[in-house]
Amino acid sequence: MRGWSLERQVRFVAGLIVLAGTTLGLMVDFRWLGLSAFAGLGLTFSGLTDLCAMRALLARMPWNKAG
Protein backbone atom coordinates (compact mmCIF):
# COMPACT_ATOMS: atom_id res chain seq x y z
CA MET A 1 0.00 0.00 0.00
CA ARG A 2 3.03 2.23 -0.20
CA GLY A 3 2.13 5.50 -1.81
CA TRP A 4 -1.62 5.25 -1.16
CA SER A 5 -3.30 8.05 0.76
CA LEU A 6 -4.86 7.16 4.12
CA GLU A 7 -8.32 7.86 2.73
CA ARG A 8 -7.75 5.39 -0.11
CA GLN A 9 -6.48 2.79 2.36
CA VAL A 10 -9.59 3.25 4.53
CA ARG A 11 -11.90 2.80 1.54
CA PHE A 12 -9.97 -0.30 0.43
CA VAL A 13 -10.06 -1.97 3.86
CA ALA A 14 -13.71 -1.06 4.42
CA GLY A 15 -14.56 -2.55 1.03
CA LEU A 16 -12.68 -5.75 1.88
CA ILE A 17 -14.55 -6.03 5.19
CA VAL A 18 -17.92 -5.62 3.47
CA LEU A 19 -16.96 -8.09 0.73
CA ALA A 20 -15.69 -10.66 3.23
CA GLY A 21 -18.74 -10.31 5.47
CA THR A 22 -21.15 -10.65 2.57
CA THR A 23 -19.33 -13.62 1.05
CA LEU A 24 -19.03 -15.44 4.37
CA GLY A 25 -22.65 -14.60 5.18
CA LEU A 26 -23.88 -16.12 1.95
CA MET A 27 -21.58 -19.14 1.87
CA VAL A 28 -20.87 -20.07 5.50
CA ASP A 29 -23.32 -18.64 8.01
CA PHE A 30 -25.74 -15.72 7.78
CA ARG A 31 -24.36 -14.29 11.04
CA TRP A 32 -21.24 -13.17 9.15
CA LEU A 33 -23.43 -10.48 7.59
CA GLY A 34 -22.98 -8.64 10.89
CA LEU A 35 -19.41 -7.93 9.80
CA SER A 36 -20.71 -5.98 6.81
CA ALA A 37 -23.23 -4.20 9.03
CA PHE A 38 -20.44 -3.27 11.45
CA ALA A 39 -18.38 -1.78 8.60
CA GLY A 40 -21.44 0.16 7.40
CA LEU A 41 -22.05 1.46 10.90
CA GLY A 42 -18.42 2.58 11.15
CA LEU A 43 -18.60 4.36 7.80
CA THR A 44 -21.85 6.07 8.80
CA PHE A 45 -20.39 7.18 12.14
CA SER A 46 -17.27 8.44 10.39
CA GLY A 47 -19.32 10.42 7.88
CA LEU A 48 -21.44 12.02 10.57
CA THR A 49 -18.68 12.88 13.03
CA ASP A 50 -15.56 13.16 10.85
CA LEU A 51 -13.85 10.73 13.27
CA CYS A 52 -12.43 7.54 11.82
CA ALA A 53 -10.92 4.84 14.03
CA MET A 54 -9.72 2.86 11.02
CA ARG A 55 -7.84 5.89 9.72
CA ALA A 56 -6.15 6.34 13.09
CA LEU A 57 -5.20 2.66 13.14
CA LEU A 58 -3.88 2.68 9.58
CA ALA A 59 -1.87 5.83 10.28
CA ARG A 60 0.11 3.84 12.85
CA MET A 61 1.06 1.10 10.40
CA PRO A 62 4.76 0.93 9.49
CA TRP A 63 4.20 1.67 5.79
CA ASN A 64 2.58 4.99 6.76
CA LYS A 65 5.46 6.18 8.94
CA ALA A 66 7.49 9.03 7.53
CA GLY A 67 11.17 8.41 6.82
Side-chain angles (χ1 to χ4, degrees):
M1 288 190 200
R2 188 166 299 254
W4 286 16
S5 70
L6 278 174
E7 294 304 314
R8 185 176 180 187
Q9 291 177 49
V10 168
R11 289 192 307 267
F12 178 73
V13 173
L16 283 179
I17 292 170
V18 170
L19 182 62
T22 302
T23 301
L24 289 168
L26 293 173
M27 300 183 94
V28 177
D29 188 340
F30 75 95
R31 290 177 284 193
W32 279 105
L33 293 173
L35 185 61
S36 297
F38 182 73
L41 180 64
L43 289 168
T44 302
F45 177 81
S46 177
L48 289 172
T49 64
D50 201 27
L51 300 172
C52 184
M54 190 185 308
R55 186 181 196 283
L57 181 67
L58 285 169
R60 294 178 180 216
M61 294 295 120
W63 59 84
N64 287 323
K65 297 290 182 187

